[in-house]
Amino acid sequence: FQIRLGRYVSVSADMANHGTNTGLPEQDVGDLRIGENLEVLCVTHAASLRSICKGDLQSSSLRNLKCLLLEHCPQISALAASPEQLGNLETLQLRFCDKLVTLFEQELAAFPKLHTLKLWALPEFKNVRCVLPALQTLEIGECPMLINVFSSPHVLVNLRNLQIKFCDAMETVFGCGNLTLPNLEMLCLWNLPELRSIGADWPSSSK
């Protein structure tokens, strides 16, 4: 089952569960391939999809991917073994992925081009687990297992928009020491009942 549609692909429940619609058994979802020029990939309501770069969607086909949206993918626990498999990704949005625990299995791997990260309604999500030097926008909501966003040293000099809402267990935003956020323009912390500290400094309003 091959899809080669240039730079944009949207995968819905019908494609992700194509065993039902094409006669292929469910275990053959790993045969799904997409064009190497793909830049935008949206996957929604894919009940059988377990990963992006472990065979379900071939990692060699995603090397030019810039924007990835996953929504209602209940079996995914991590995106990939390492960010190198998605090295050109600039925007990542994850919503309603019930088993997602972390972004990458590799500890403290660099994700050099990602500038926008949005995480919403991830009940098992525990850590970002990678370094994001280009990050400009970080929005997180309804992640009840998340205690802190980053637990290791980070440089976030480009961060401009930080919004975190409805994370019941969050104790500190940055658990890796007192960070400096020189370009921060928007800060929204809402309904974080266990929050004790932010762990960061930012410019005063007089600047």
Side-chain angles (χ1 to χ4, degrees):
F1 189 88
Q2 296 188 0
I3 301 176
R4 298 190 181 276
L5 298 177
R7 296 189 175 185
Y8 179 92
V9 169
S10 178
V11 182
S12 65
D14 289 341
M15 289 185 180
N17 297 309
H18 62 266
T20 302
N21 297 289
T22 67
L24 294 174
E26 187 175 23
Q27 60 266 30
D28 285 340
V29 173
D31 292 335
L32 180 61
R33 294 178 183 272
I34 52 183
E36 292 184 359
N37 293 324
L38 185 70
E39 294 183 357
V40 178
L41 174 61
C42 302
V43 183
T44 66
H45 294 85
S48 299
L49 191 68
R50 296 182 181 276
S51 67
I52 294 298
C53 294
K54 284 187 175 179
D56 292 314
L57 294 176
Q58 300 298 318
S59 60
S60 62
S61 298
L62 300 177
R63 61 189 177 187
N64 293 313
L65 194 67
K66 293 182 179 180
C67 179
L68 174 61
L69 166 65
L70 299 181
E71 185 177 62
H72 294 285
C73 299
Q75 298 300 320
I76 287 184
S77 60
L79 294 183
S82 70
E84 286 77 13
Q85 295 172 302
L86 296 168
N88 287 308
L89 200 62
E90 298 176 0
T91 299
L92 176 60
Q93 297 187 52
L94 306 172
R95 300 197 293 258
F96 305 103
C97 297
D98 294 347
K99 292 186 178 181
L100 189 74
V101 176
T102 187
L103 298 183
F104 300 99
E105 297 175 359
Q106 182 178 333
E107 188 75 37
L108 295 182
F111 208 178
K113 297 183 179 181
L114 190 75
H115 59 71
T116 300
L117 176 61
K118 298 183 179 182
L119 309 173
W120 189 264
L122 308 175
E124 299 296 326
F125 191 77
K126 294 182 178 180
N127 57 70
V128 175
R129 206 174 181 176
C130 57
V131 179
L132 307 173
L135 191 64
Q136 297 180 22
T137 295
L138 176 61
E139 298 180 8
I140 300 175
E142 294 190 15
C143 296
M145 300 293 289
L146 191 63
I147 297 176
N148 54 62
V149 180
F150 300 110
S151 58
S152 56
H154 277 69
V155 177
L156 295 172
V157 295
N158 296 307
L159 189 64
R160 297 180 180 275
N161 179 14
L162 174 60
Q163 300 186 45
I164 303 177
K165 306 174 182 178
F166 306 108
C167 294
D168 294 342
M170 182 164 291
E171 298 177 359
T172 180
V173 178
F174 304 106
C176 49
N178 210 41
L179 294 181
T180 299
L181 306 175
N183 292 304
L184 191 66
E185 298 174 354
M186 166 68 76
L187 175 63
C188 179
L189 304 176
W190 185 265
N191 204 347
L192 308 174
E194 299 298 323
L195 187 68
R196 301 172 184 173
S197 67
I198 297 175
D201 295 323
W202 52 89
S204 65
S205 58
S206 62
K207 292 185 178 181

